[in-house]
Amino acid sequence: MTDTTAADATLAPAKPVTKPARPYFSSGPCAKPPGWDAAKLATDSLGRSHRSKLGKQRLQYCIDLMRELLKLPDTHRIGIVPGSDTGAFEMAMWTMLGARPVTALAWESFGEGWVTDAVKQLKIDPTVLRADYGQLPDLSAVDWSNDVLFTWNGTTSGVRVPNGDWIAEDREGLSFADATSGVFAYDLPWDKIDVATFSWQKVLGGEGAHGVLILGPRAVERLESYTPAWPLPKVFRLVSKGKLAEGVFKGETINTPSMLAVEDAIFALEWAKGLGGAEALVKRSDANAAALNRIVEARDWLGHLAEDPAIRSTTSVCLTVEGADDALIKKMASLLEAEGAAYDVAGYRDAPSGLRIWCGATVETADIEALGPWLDWAYATARG
């Protein structure tokens, strides 16, 4: 018998042979660092009080490593706080907003979340500058006499601010940067950032639950000179008797941390230091994003949600898929997962239908390169 194919039928490509060695492309929690193994984590601090001499030493060591790799000036404090990046950013909002008018920038889900918190929870009436997914609002329209809330790198949209040039040096308000998909992926201008938050689960490939709060001197001044009108829960309190609770920034966490998560973060930070520090992490993210861009440019059915390369994320890269709806994307993601070729690549639930590929430093460029043929196969198979 002879197989016949209709003239307008699309033949699915053969299933690729080579798979990504580490098919972990989730945008959070992200891939563990290459070579990671739970057996390699230091465990002496486990089962010990986080307030013991050893517990405090390990927490302080984690903070010191972050400072060293980020090249943070001594003027900036680093604290490990509850609730991942969300907890850290909300802590900053609840403790410092209300002293000045507020401008909130929203071009993706988490930026919209901060708008909701400001309006519905804190009852502040912010000026809101919005843009659609894939775009940025007009940064030149920001009034820096206000406190300004923004995401440095929109994890759900694949859009980032191009640099810190738009942040006024003579600003009267504070700059609040939710930088969870940006820290360790870009060379951040710390003199322009008064408050920054992130979590280990992103570019470092650490575990969630804990956030990192970075305060510049102007943020500390705000905390010590201003008392919000609303009550603060214990886990948000950064001031004691009118002064910054310095212990929080020396490893004396507000509540009990997971020392296992801390040891995991230390592993990732030591791995990064061994590569050459934050500069090496930036180069790895850039190389991964460039490899994915080559895949996109070679396919007419793939595109970037962020069309402008100047504002395109190099970590959480969001892709458009020709003719896609949620059902097609779900099917593609399921096919890839079933084959062990790529995990967790469907776009964020609130974003336009598409794919989202994490290109942060813990991903290997070779695995990005191996992904291209699998995307072809999944797309054709899902449509077929």
Side-chain angles (χ1 to χ4, degrees):
M1 298 177 65
T2 303
D3 289 334
T4 59
T5 303
D8 60 348
T10 300
L11 292 174
K15 188 181 295 184
V17 175
T18 303
K19 295 179 182 179
R22 299 171 68 240
Y24 302 102
F25 300 110
S26 164
S27 288
C30 302
K32 307 300 288 184
W36 181 91
D37 190 306
K40 295 180 180 179
L41 301 184
T43 57
D44 289 350
S45 66
L46 304 189
R48 297 290 309 277
S49 169
H50 62 294
R51 303 198 187 282
S52 67
K53 182 178 180 180
L54 175 61
K56 288 182 179 180
Q57 285 176 343
R58 297 303 284 175
L59 286 159
Q60 183 65 61
Y61 178 51
C62 185
I63 289 172
D64 291 344
L65 282 172
M66 289 188 285
R67 181 179 299 281
E68 179 183 353
L69 267 65
L70 293 173
K71 296 182 178 178
L72 269 177
D74 292 339
T75 53
H76 285 59
R77 273 85 158 180
I78 307 175
I80 298 169
V81 300
S84 196
D85 174 67
T86 300
F89 202 81
E90 290 184 331
M91 174 183 287
M93 291 177 64
W94 259 250
T95 55
M96 284 177 266
L97 292 186
R100 282 183 169 274
V102 175
T103 296
L105 279 61
W107 61 87
E108 53 99 45
S109 297
F110 288 99
E112 281 292 347
W114 310 140
V115 172
T116 298
D117 280 357
V119 173
K120 293 187 177 181
Q121 306 303 322
L122 298 179
K123 309 299 183 184
I124 292 172
D125 184 20
T127 298
V128 182
L129 302 180
R130 287 188 171 90
D132 292 336
Y133 275 84
Q135 301 177 22
L136 273 181
D138 181 6
L139 300 181
S140 67
V142 174
D143 180 355
W144 282 104
S145 66
N146 292 2
D147 291 334
V148 179
L149 314 175
F150 68 99
T151 51
W152 193 277
N153 185 112
T155 310
T156 68
S157 68
V159 173
R160 63 181 173 92
V161 294
N163 48 52
D165 294 351
W166 62 285
I167 302 175
E169 292 186 5
D170 60 349
R171 61 193 176 279
E172 298 172 44
L174 300 180
S175 58
F176 291 73
D178 170 1
T180 195
S181 293
V183 174
F184 292 113
Y186 306 108
D187 183 16
L188 299 182
W190 293 109
D191 61 321
K192 296 289 190 76
I193 300 173
D194 299 308
V195 180
T197 65
F198 70 98
S199 72
W200 299 320
Q201 62 153 321
K202 295 293 186 180
V203 182
L204 290 174
E207 292 302 300
H210 303 303
V212 178
L213 176 66
I214 299 176
L215 301 179
R218 299 179 73 248
V220 174
E221 180 184 9
R222 171 72 62 81
L223 285 165
E224 293 184 339
S225 63
Y226 166 70
T227 301
W230 42 80
L232 294 176
K234 179 180 178 181
V235 292
F236 282 5
R237 295 174 198 161
L238 294 170
V239 173
S240 177
K241 298 179 180 179
K243 293 294 183 182
L244 185 72
E246 294 284 2
V248 173
F249 305 93
K250 297 177 181 178
E252 297 174 12
T253 55
I254 293 174
N255 69 334
T256 305
S258 163
M259 293 307 297
L260 185 59
V262 171
E263 294 295 349
D264 185 72
I266 288 173
F267 178 94
L269 290 161
E270 289 180 335
W271 166 77
K273 184 176 179 179
L275 292 178
E279 295 91 341
L281 299 185
V282 172
K283 288 180 180 178
R284 285 177 65 92
S285 291
D286 287 348
N288 290 338
L292 183 57
N293 187 57
R294 290 192 292 271
I295 291 172
V296 173
E297 290 185 338
R299 290 155 176 82
D300 58 8
W301 59 272
L302 268 181
H304 285 287
L305 185 58
E307 295 181 0
D308 182 358
I311 63 170
R312 185 181 300 154
S313 171
T314 57
T315 55
S316 183
V317 183
C318 296
L319 305 179
T320 60
V321 175
E322 184 178 296
D325 56 15
D326 289 349
L328 179 68
I329 295 301
K330 184 177 180 179
K331 189 169 183 180
M332 286 181 67
S334 296
L335 287 166
L336 292 166
E337 181 170 346
E339 293 293 334
Y343 299 141
D344 310 318
V345 296
Y348 192 71
R349 61 182 180 269
D350 294 336
S353 298
L355 300 173
R356 182 171 60 158
I357 313 295
W358 183 257
C359 291
T362 56
V363 173
E364 299 281 24
T365 303
D367 290 331
I368 295 286
E369 293 170 339
L371 184 60
W374 283 99
L375 294 178
D376 292 330
W377 172 80
Y379 180 59
T381 303
R383 294 176 72 211

